Amino acid sequence: MDAGADKVSLNTAALADPSLLTRLAARYGSQAVVVAIDAKRENGRFAVYARSGGAATGRDAVEWAAEAADRGAGEILLTSIDRDGTRSGFDTGMTAAVSSRVNIPVIASGGAGGFEHFLDVFTAGRADAALAASIFHYSEHAVADLKDYLRAHGVPVRVTC
């Protein structure tokens, strides 16, 4: 942050020491603190994982998101481990559960395969933003075309110059 970054994203470090969120928010502002939550469906809940999805934490994603927001996080980056890389659509149920519980922006990640998946996550999933990689990497889709699609379906999008 002192080197000029606008935001920092924390996952494993925040899980290991949740007070880190409060300290960072106090020093840099909540808008600069993003908590990345990697979760998958297990036994009727959304289980949080650390270390790039390799270590179960015993935490529930909805509860952890609420705690992170209470501790000063300004955004949640929510990745569905189950959907990541599948191109089968975002986990709108998980996203909606987290979005309904916190009063900070939720960025959905994991599963984007087509424009309809973005529409679903912004409507049913109540996401504030969505992250995607593979559908854009190989020039299958253009960001401008996605924005046109979303705009045509009543989803507000940022205008670019």
Side-chain angles (χ1 to χ4, degrees):
M1 297 296 294
D2 292 336
D6 289 329
K7 296 178 187 243
V8 62
S9 175
L10 301 122
N11 183 326
T12 302
L15 286 160
D17 179 9
S19 69
L20 178 61
L21 300 173
T22 305
R23 295 192 314 271
L24 288 169
R27 182 166 178 178
Y28 300 106
S30 290
Q31 82 290 341
V33 181
V34 179
V35 172
I37 299 174
D38 297 338
K40 63 180 169 179
R41 291 175 178 260
E42 285 181 356
N43 302 318
R45 64 185 210 124
F46 306 113
V48 175
Y49 279 73
R51 306 211 176 279
S52 301
T57 66
R59 288 181 167 268
D60 175 77
V62 176
E63 296 304 317
W64 173 228
E67 180 181 344
D70 289 344
R71 288 181 175 273
E75 293 180 50
I76 301 293
L77 171 57
L78 180 65
T79 300
S80 168
I81 295 171
D82 299 316
R83 299 288 181 96
D84 199 31
T86 66
R87 302 178 83 176
S88 63
F90 296 96
D91 187 331
T92 57
M94 182 188 322
T95 306
V98 171
S99 294
S100 297
R101 183 68 187 274
V102 299
N103 291 319
I104 58 175
V106 174
I107 306 161
S109 174
F115 292 173
E116 68 280 359
H117 297 151
F118 288 90
L119 181 60
D120 289 344
V121 82
F122 288 131
T123 54
R126 301 182 54 199
D128 297 283
L131 182 154
S134 59
I135 69 167
F136 300 118
H137 282 180
Y138 305 107
S139 302
E140 295 172 33
H141 300 287
V143 174
D145 293 339
L146 172 59
K147 286 184 172 189
D148 289 343
Y149 173 87
L150 291 171
R151 195 177 293 112
H153 287 84
V155 176
V157 295
R158 193 176 292 164
V159 177
T160 55
C161 300

